[in-house]
Every structure is written in C-alpha cells, then in structure tokens.
Amino acid sequence: MVDENQNNVDFGYKSVKKSDKQKLVNYVFNSVAQKYDLMNDITSLGIHRSWKNDLINWLAPQGNQNLADIAGGTGDIANKFINAGGNSAHIFDINKEMIEVSKKKYNNIRNLEWTIASAEDIPASDNSFERATMSFGLRNITNRNKSLQEIYRILKPGGRFICLEFSHLENDFLKKFYDLWSFKIMPLIGDKVTGNKEAYTYLVESIRKFPNQDELTQMFSQVGFSRIKYRNLSNGIVALHSGWKI
Ligand SMILES: C[S@@+](CC[C@H](N)C(=O)[O-])C[C@H]1O[C@@H](n2cnc3c(N)ncnc32)[C@H](O)[C@@H]1O
C-alpha cells in the first residue's frame, strides 16, 4: 500500500511530489470537464450509470437524509440521491470547471448545493450529514487518509459513507481483455474525444495503483468506520465500500 507519509505520491505510474499531485489532477479535470460525461459513457460502454445506480440502491436514500457528495464532479450521484428520495445533496469538488458542468446539468433540481472545496479540508461542521458518498474521487486525492477522516468527521453518528471506485478484477482471463481495452483503446478514445491522451493514460494507471478491496477496507477501518462491507461490481472492475459512523 502507498505510504502517504512519504514526500512523494503516485500520479498514475509516475512518482511525483505530494505538493504537485493536486495541480496535475486539476489539469486533467480542467481539460476533460466539458467531455467528462461523454467519455464516461464511451469508455465504460454506459455501464458507469448502472454502477452509480447500484451505489444509490445500496444507500437507499430517505426523505430525512442529507448527502455530502465529495469530489462530486458533474453531479450524477447527488442528482440520483435526490431523485431516489433523499432530502438534499451538497456537492463538494475542488474543480470549478467540473462544478460548472454540474450546475448547468442540474440547475432545476431542488435542494442541491455546490461548494468548491478539497476533500482533504471539507468546509462543513462536525456531525452535519446523514450520508456521504465519493464516486471515482478517492483515487485522485493526494492524502486519502485525510479525506476519509474528513468524511468521517462531517458524518453524524449513525451516518453512512459509500465509496464507489475502480478496483481489482477477480478473474485473470477477463483481466487480459480489460488490460487491452484500458491500456490500448481508452487513451486513444480520450485523445480523439478530449484531445488529452495523457488524462486517460493517467486514469488507467491510477486504477492499477489504487488499493485493492481489502486494503481499502483496512483504510476505512483505520479512520474509525464500523460495519464495513464491500461489493464487487462487474467482477471487481469497480467496488462499492460501505462504512458506518457509530
Ligand atoms: C473522476 S471524477 C468523479 C466525478 C463524479 N463523482 C462521478 O462519479 O462522475 C473525480 C473528481 O474528483 C475531483 N477532485 C480531485 N481532487 C479533489 C480533491 N482534492 N478534493 C475534491 N475533489 C477533488 C475532480 O475535480 C473530479 O471532479
């Protein structure tokens, strides 16, 4: 597992100074923001929609629950949470471009708010949300433990966090096709659609460097989450991790 106390941190397969990673990540999302949703549909063959639905189904929003969607980007999870019966959703994301896309998409949704903020320093009071989510965000964060601590802090006792993130395939045979698709095809599509091949090379490499299902479970446990469970989706291409603040 990555030792986050070192001076360097992974940016895909590169090792970069901790102080540089956020700038590189911001550059990636600035350059792809306008095409981010389209690229999600193309590179996942639309399956990211069903993964996000699986997250919402497991979370089972109720009318008395308020969501903090951390690294919420273009807003899919927050929108689905409200549509599924949640009371309100607050998107926190460090990237203004991504938030602007989200505001355009969902400006008519009631009880949806946005704040430009880092997951490592969330501008919310302790114990203020019933639910928290992070979908495809954690991989991009420089200090992941700090952001998990922040999520734990802002959840009310009895609150629940679900993380949706790329993970590690269970089946070696499928892995060969997945590697071919992701290393050979995805950067080419990224180049054609967004003009930024490197952004999608980073995406693929960052997935391979991300902690596996058990390691992420351990990270949840270290910050205090209880009743931690995970579910593999699409054979472990992605996983949902759920933890409770007791
Ligand atoms: C892959 S996108 C995921 C967007 C959205 N949650 C989804 O599932 O489609 C990753 C998001 O993380 C955001 N991000 C990166 N570093 C961040 C940080 N330190 N704090 C908050 N958001 C961050 C990016 O700006 C981007 O919007």
Side-chain angles (χ1 to χ4, degrees):
M1 202 190 302
V2 179
D3 177 356
E4 295 189 343
N5 292 318
Q6 291 173 351
N7 290 330
N8 276 33
V9 70
D10 293 333
F11 176 76
Y13 286 170
K14 295 191 190 82
S15 174
V16 299
K17 277 194 208 146
K18 266 186 169 177
S19 53
D20 289 341
K21 175 162 172 170
Q22 190 68 62
K23 281 178 248 165
L24 293 165
V25 167
N26 290 348
Y27 174 73
V28 164
F29 290 103
N30 278 336
S31 72
V32 306
Q34 301 302 327
K35 299 279 173 63
Y36 174 80
D37 290 328
L38 174 65
M39 276 301 289
N40 271 352
D41 278 334
I42 298 174
T43 56
S44 75
L45 307 173
I47 301 170
H48 76 102
R49 292 166 185 260
S50 114
W51 295 332
K52 288 171 176 168
N53 287 338
D54 287 338
L55 183 162
I56 294 296
N57 288 338
W58 202 13
L59 200 59
Q62 305 288 316
N64 58 353
Q65 293 172 348
N66 303 296
L67 174 75
D69 184 32
I70 312 301
T74 57
D76 286 352
I77 296 294
N79 174 54
K80 284 177 190 291
F81 180 85
I82 289 174
N83 282 339
N87 181 50
S88 75
H90 196 134
I91 294 173
F92 296 90
D93 195 289
I94 204 162
N95 192 303
K96 188 168 177 285
E97 300 290 323
M98 293 292 278
I99 287 206
E100 289 304 325
V101 173
S102 171
K103 282 185 173 170
K104 266 193 208 142
K105 269 167 83 182
Y106 298 122
N107 64 2
N108 56 351
I109 302 288
R110 64 170 180 91
N111 291 352
L112 184 53
E113 283 184 72
W114 294 265
T115 299
I116 299 172
S118 172
E120 296 176 23
D121 187 12
I122 303 171
S125 312
D126 297 357
N127 309 319
S128 51
F129 289 91
E130 285 81 14
R131 296 290 180 261
T133 49
M134 201 183 213
S135 159
F136 302 116
L138 195 56
R139 221 170 356 98
N140 301 293
I141 307 292
T142 305
N143 190 337
R144 295 174 185 147
N145 285 333
K146 181 74 175 65
S147 70
L148 291 174
Q149 280 165 6
E150 278 292 272
I151 290 167
Y152 190 85
R153 178 184 68 75
I154 65 167
L155 274 176
K156 290 183 179 173
R160 184 184 186 191
F161 169 51
I162 298 189
C163 173
L164 167 61
E165 191 47 273
F166 287 101
S167 202
H168 294 261
L169 271 167
E170 297 166 311
N171 180 305
D172 284 343
F173 181 69
L174 287 178
K175 195 169 172 300
K176 287 203 177 113
F177 287 99
Y178 180 56
D179 280 349
L180 183 70
W181 173 256
S182 41
F183 281 103
K184 302 283 181 213
I185 315 285
M186 270 171 56
L188 290 182
I189 302 173
D191 193 20
K192 282 265 173 284
V193 178
T194 68
N196 188 343
K197 187 175 179 184
E198 289 72 32
Y200 286 86
T201 304
Y202 159 70
L203 166 72
V204 174
E205 293 178 354
S206 68
I207 292 169
R208 299 308 186 281
K209 297 294 279 187
F210 191 69
N212 68 25
Q213 289 84 336
D214 291 332
E215 289 166 337
L216 186 53
T217 300
Q218 186 64 24
M219 288 170 71
F220 268 46
S221 168
Q222 275 165 4
V223 303
F225 284 107
S226 303
R227 294 164 55 197
I228 304 161
K229 291 202 173 107
Y230 74 79
R231 289 181 180 173
N232 283 334
L233 306 177
S234 303
N235 206 265
I237 289 179
V238 302
L240 294 169
H241 280 72
S242 164
W244 295 78
K245 177 170 173 177
I246 303 295

